[in-house]
Each structure stands twice: as C-alpha cells, then as structure tokens.
Amino acid sequence: MGGFLAKSQYLIEDNDITENSNEFGRAQVSFDLNNPIEFYRLKCENANYAQFPGGEHAFKQMLFNALKSTINQGNYSVNGTFEFVLNIDKNGNLHKFTLKPEVQNGDLLYRDLNFMFGQMKQKWIPATCNGVATDSKLRIRVNFRTENFDL
C-alpha cells in the first residue's frame, strides 16, 4: 500500500509553502473601568485617603491608556472581573500591586501588569492619619472580555 493516497490528501510543491507568520485570527481584549475606586479603611480617627492628582477620572484615564498599550496584544484570553489592589506608600508612590483572583496560567498577565504599574511614576497625594502621612491600599475592579475573530 505504499503509493495509496486518499482523495482528501493534498500534495504540495515547494512554492506552495508559505511563512508561518501569517495571522489567521486575532484576539482583542476590552476592559471596563466603570467601577469606583475603593479604599481600605484606615484605622485612625481623622483619616484622609490617598488621592490621585486630577482625581479619580484622571487615574482611570491613565490606567485605561496603560492597559490598552499593555494588555491589548492578543497574548491573553482574559474574561471576568479582576481586582487590582494597589499599595500607596506614605511618600505617595505606588509600591506594590496584587491581582485577584489568581488565575491558572496567569503568570504572563501578572508579569505584564506588574511591569505596567511599575512604569506609572505619577505620585499620589498620600493618605494621612491624624495629619501624618501613612501607607494605604485601594482596590479597583476591572471587567475584562476577550473577543476572538478571524482575519
């Protein structure tokens, strides 16, 4: 049966072979930032919570642009609501980021988000307790949706 070919098989010539780099489909990640920023309660009497210069809208605009340039690469299939927990130190620097929930195979997403937040150099007006600057945390929920389509 050495020379038997089924009708569905196709023999190719060298000139039929193309580069593997052609795109057959693309994934687009969209995100919704309409949820409010929530602050973790400070345990003191006269608490003032961290503020972003220009307010919440300015922070969300900066976050939107950063997400758009970082996440919209087609490298992810991200769906659902995630929480970004941001730690702001007493100097107004964003110094730590946590992604919740942790997802299976989410290492690349976490790495890219961590890099993105590390690039955000805009200082916050730090939180204060009884007039003294203090570390604080905030949370923002982001809804992600990945849409795949053929080219």
Side-chain angles (χ1 to χ4, degrees):
M1 277 199 200
F4 180 77
L5 291 176
K7 284 191 173 200
S8 64
Q9 290 178 324
Y10 174 68
L11 296 175
I12 61 171
E13 302 294 330
D14 283 345
N15 59 358
D16 289 335
I17 299 173
T18 59
E19 291 290 325
N20 241 0
S21 62
N22 293 339
E23 289 186 73
F24 298 105
R26 182 168 288 185
Q28 180 175 355
V29 179
S30 59
F31 30 86
D32 172 11
L33 296 172
N34 288 327
N35 296 308
I37 294 175
E38 301 168 328
F39 293 88
Y40 285 76
R41 184 174 308 278
L42 294 172
K43 295 179 170 70
C44 64
E45 287 192 23
N46 295 313
N48 288 315
Y49 293 90
Q51 295 178 19
F52 191 78
E56 185 172 325
H57 178 74
F59 173 69
K60 286 182 176 180
Q61 187 64 47
M62 184 178 74
L63 181 58
F64 176 82
N65 291 334
L67 284 168
K68 187 175 171 185
S69 66
T70 302
I71 300 300
N72 234 355
Q73 301 172 3
N75 294 334
Y76 315 98
S77 181
V78 184
N79 292 295
T81 301
F82 290 83
E83 296 177 355
F84 297 161
V85 178
L86 308 177
N87 293 50
I88 310 296
D89 69 18
K90 62 184 175 184
N91 296 316
N93 298 308
L94 174 63
H95 73 94
K96 186 178 171 190
F97 152 77
T98 307
L99 176 67
K100 293 183 179 183
E102 291 183 14
V103 292
Q104 186 177 13
N105 299 322
D107 295 342
L108 182 62
L109 173 64
Y110 186 82
R111 185 200 70 195
D112 288 349
L113 288 172
N114 200 34
F115 177 78
M116 178 194 78
F117 280 115
Q119 296 301 304
M120 292 181 159
K121 299 298 182 191
Q122 179 72 44
K123 282 193 172 214
W124 289 68
I125 299 166
T128 59
C129 272
N130 301 319
V132 178
T134 187
D135 296 344
S136 63
K137 290 191 331 186
L138 62 96
R139 173 178 73 181
I140 184 166
R141 290 185 175 118
V142 180
N143 298 317
F144 285 97
R145 186 176 67 245
T146 302
E147 297 173 4
N148 296 304
F149 52 92
D150 295 330
L151 294 177

